[in-house]
Amino acid sequence: MSTVKARGQITIVDLNDAKQVQMRFDISERVQIYNPDTKIHTPNFTSAPCVVSPKVYVTGNSSNQVEKLTALSYIVGGVTVNAGQTSGAYSVAAISAGGTLTIKQNLTAGSLKIVCKATYHDSDTGQDTTLEHEDAIVRSSSAGALFQAVITAPKGRIFDEGNALTSLQLVANVYRGGTHDTDGLNFKWEKFVATGGGTWQAVTTGISTVNGTSTLTVGVNDVLNFQSYRVVVTDGSDRAEAIETLEDKTDPYTVEVVSTTGDKIVNGQGNTQLMARVYRGATKIEDETTPQSSRKFTCTWFKYDKNGNKANWAGTASNVKTGNPITVAANEIDQKATFFCEVSQ
């Protein structure tokens, strides 16, 4: 049975035949609980600020490349703050210091939207790439003794060469009305498995529960590119759950997906070729030019339409196709289409 080694995707409208650059956030606190009875925020950002750390990754390099940004700014709740500047309760470090956003103000609404815009400069090609990433911190307003689970990640949510971590921790706590609850709790950790329609499977190792706090330790080998985990907490008839996703940029294999026509097919004419290039670390080990007799990997392509729904390949009754490269005709694309590639061995 083949094993999936890496995953990648491309949307034919805005990706070009160059290195793919992605931005991610590590957010120290994704949820803040507010108790309207006691007027208490947990955690309290005025005394324990929330920190948002940008991460920039380039195909074939598992190190955070944030220092190669030439411009960086955040829009936080409608307020724009540039790198190296402060605006009220929001401050942004210089790019050379990581470009982190620090929030020293408690949330006053249901969520705080955070948008980061940046420019990445490729010193090899001289090309600039515009990046944008959006996320949010959620404010949960409890009604009295609401039973709620919260997951934090004290070491971050991403494995990369820069942090050289071999494990990350997901820490689960339970709150009733903003107060930490530690009595009579039962914790169950699960991971999401996409095969078979998608199921949550129990995790039985790497778990430590002490004084009402449960910690799941996840090794770097437990995460293939990305992996979602869920904690389910019960106390009698009370039940709460929370979900967190970890990413691994150090996996031995990564896949870059490129298109021969760059960002578009013009006026519904012609076709494009999609190509998968497999890397181990920074070294390309197989691509569309590798002779068939020397190939180690199978590339399986999944097609989705402009609305994100499965779309069959022309002339077939399936949205799945194998090969490298594959040809996509203009009539395969209605405004736009996304192609997801799994590389297996």
Side-chain angles (χ1 to χ4, degrees):
M1 183 178 65
S2 62
T3 301
V4 176
K5 296 296 185 181
R7 303 182 180 95
Q9 71 177 43
I10 188 171
T11 299
I12 302 299
V13 283
D14 70 348
L15 292 183
N16 57 33
D17 191 4
K19 295 178 182 178
Q20 294 185 25
V21 187
Q22 298 179 327
M23 177 182 285
R24 296 285 189 270
F25 288 160
D26 251 353
I27 303 178
S28 62
E29 302 290 347
R30 289 184 173 272
V31 178
Q32 184 180 57
I33 301 173
Y34 174 68
N35 186 333
D37 296 332
T38 63
K39 313 299 183 184
I40 293 175
H41 291 84
T42 306
N44 187 335
F45 291 165
T46 62
S47 57
C50 178
V51 178
V52 179
S53 302
K55 305 284 186 178
V56 178
Y57 297 100
V58 181
T59 301
N61 192 327
S62 58
S63 296
N64 182 14
Q65 301 292 300
V66 70
E67 75 280 356
K68 291 189 177 181
L69 298 179
T70 57
L72 174 71
S73 66
Y74 292 88
I75 303 174
V76 192
V79 177
T80 299
V81 190
N82 296 318
Q85 297 182 355
T86 297
S87 178
Y90 310 130
S91 62
V92 180
I95 293 174
S96 59
T100 55
L101 165 67
T102 300
I103 301 170
K104 299 181 180 180
Q105 176 178 289
N106 293 319
L107 276 59
T108 59
S111 65
L112 180 65
K113 180 180 177 181
I114 303 170
V115 179
C116 183
K117 297 183 178 181
T119 301
Y120 171 83
H121 180 72
D122 188 329
S123 57
D124 294 330
T125 64
Q127 179 180 1
D128 287 335
T129 301
T130 300
L131 305 176
E132 182 170 334
H133 187 62
E134 178 181 323
D135 211 325
I137 303 170
V138 177
R139 179 181 188 259
S140 177
S141 182
S142 65
L146 179 67
F147 189 72
Q148 186 167 14
V150 176
I151 295 177
T152 57
K155 293 185 178 181
R157 296 166 176 82
I158 301 174
F159 294 100
D160 64 32
E161 287 186 356
N163 58 39
L165 296 173
T166 58
S167 65
L168 294 174
Q169 280 74 47
L170 297 179
V171 181
N173 286 289
V174 174
Y175 297 89
R176 291 183 187 271
T179 301
H180 188 201
D181 186 1
T182 61
D183 296 329
L185 303 176
N186 179 52
F187 292 86
K188 178 182 179 182
W189 288 93
E190 301 169 320
K191 66 178 180 180
F192 185 74
V193 179
T195 56
T199 59
W200 289 97
Q201 295 184 0
V203 177
T204 58
T205 59
I207 300 170
S208 173
T209 302
V210 180
N211 297 328
T213 296
S214 186
T215 300
L216 173 65
T217 299
V218 180
V220 65
N221 293 330
D222 296 324
V223 179
L224 174 61
N225 300 149
F226 53 86
Q227 179 65 59
S228 294
Y229 291 91
R230 178 172 72 174
V231 66
V232 179
V233 191
T234 55
D235 181 3
S237 60
D238 292 330
R239 183 183 187 278
E241 64 179 62
I243 297 173
E244 191 57 82
T245 299
L246 301 179
E247 295 186 58
D248 184 9
K249 298 298 183 181
T250 69
D251 275 329
Y253 298 106
T254 57
V255 59
E256 177 185 32
V257 179
V258 297
S259 164
T260 54
T261 60
D263 64 352
K264 65 187 71 174
I265 290 179
V266 181
N267 297 327
Q269 301 297 313
N271 58 52
T272 188
Q273 281 193 320
L274 301 183
M275 298 164 288
R277 297 169 180 175
V278 183
Y279 290 79
R280 180 186 288 117
T283 303
K284 183 166 63 177
I285 60 174
E286 187 171 303
D287 63 13
E288 70 282 359
T289 67
T290 303
Q292 289 290 341
S293 59
S294 301
R295 295 191 180 189
K296 301 177 181 179
F297 301 96
T298 299
C299 296
T300 304
W301 301 84
F302 302 83
K303 179 186 174 187
Y304 298 88
D305 65 16
K306 60 187 177 183
N307 298 315
N309 299 318
K310 291 181 179 180
N312 293 339
W313 293 91
T316 75
S318 172
N319 78 317
V320 181
K321 180 182 286 190
T322 59
N324 188 26
I326 60 168
T327 299
V328 180
N331 60 10
E332 293 270 13
I333 301 174
D334 178 14
Q335 296 185 34
K336 73 174 183 178
T338 297
F339 302 90
F340 180 88
C341 179
E342 278 193 351
V343 176
S344 57
Q345 186 177 36

